[in-house]
Amino acid sequence: MRLRKTALAALLILSGLRGAEAQTVVDGSEAGVGAEAAHTALSLIEQQMRDPEARVAGLRIGRAGALCGTVDVRNRMGAYTGPRPFVADLSEKFLGRLPEGPELRSPGSMVAFRAMERARVLFEANCTAG
């Protein structure tokens, strides 16, 4: 019994030392946009969404040169919320997820509203079919 408790304690300590996972591109789409573009996008996602285990997929260069893709982040309860489209203007270090209902109805500030509008316009110019 004592040996099991010791082994369990060692396992818990080692798992805590492993650290957080990094944001990852889960579908290999970074190959189509280049390592530098993918790295910059992952860095922007880390800065803005503060989820060390965000899942990124569907990376592609849009019609007007912006980077399009989806990102799946975790909520406060630790559950993934589902992939949401994002767009990034890498030359200006701007990344925005497409806003959803609650965000659109009640933006936190005028700055947040402008960022949502910028993301929406950039997404339409780059990432939609047409």
Side-chain angles (χ1 to χ4, degrees):
M1 184 69 160
R2 181 177 165 95
L3 181 60
R4 249 194 314 194
K5 286 183 181 180
T6 304
L8 180 59
L11 183 61
L12 290 173
I13 289 170
L14 289 175
S15 67
L17 294 176
R18 186 177 63 132
E21 301 292 323
Q23 291 81 8
T24 57
V25 180
V26 296
D27 65 352
S29 59
E30 72 275 13
V33 299
E36 186 177 336
H39 175 73
T40 302
L42 291 174
S43 178
L44 290 169
I45 288 168
E46 180 180 12
Q47 291 169 14
Q48 291 183 19
M49 299 181 197
R50 294 182 172 83
D51 181 355
E53 296 178 22
R55 298 174 182 167
V56 177
L59 294 179
R60 66 191 187 286
I61 301 298
R63 292 186 308 272
L67 183 71
C68 306
T70 63
V71 62
D72 191 3
V73 296
R74 293 175 299 163
N75 62 19
R76 291 182 192 138
M77 301 296 289
Y80 283 96
T81 60
R84 280 181 46 196
F86 74 86
V87 62
D89 182 343
L90 300 179
S91 65
E92 294 189 22
K93 304 286 189 244
F94 171 81
L95 182 132
R97 276 193 313 177
L98 285 190
E100 291 185 330
E103 296 163 323
L104 289 169
R105 287 190 298 274
S106 181
S109 66
M110 186 54 94
V111 171
F113 175 76
R114 286 188 185 117
M116 285 188 295
E117 279 300 297
R118 182 177 180 193
R120 187 186 59 76
V121 169
L122 196 58
F123 186 85
E124 287 177 9
N126 284 275
C127 307
T128 58

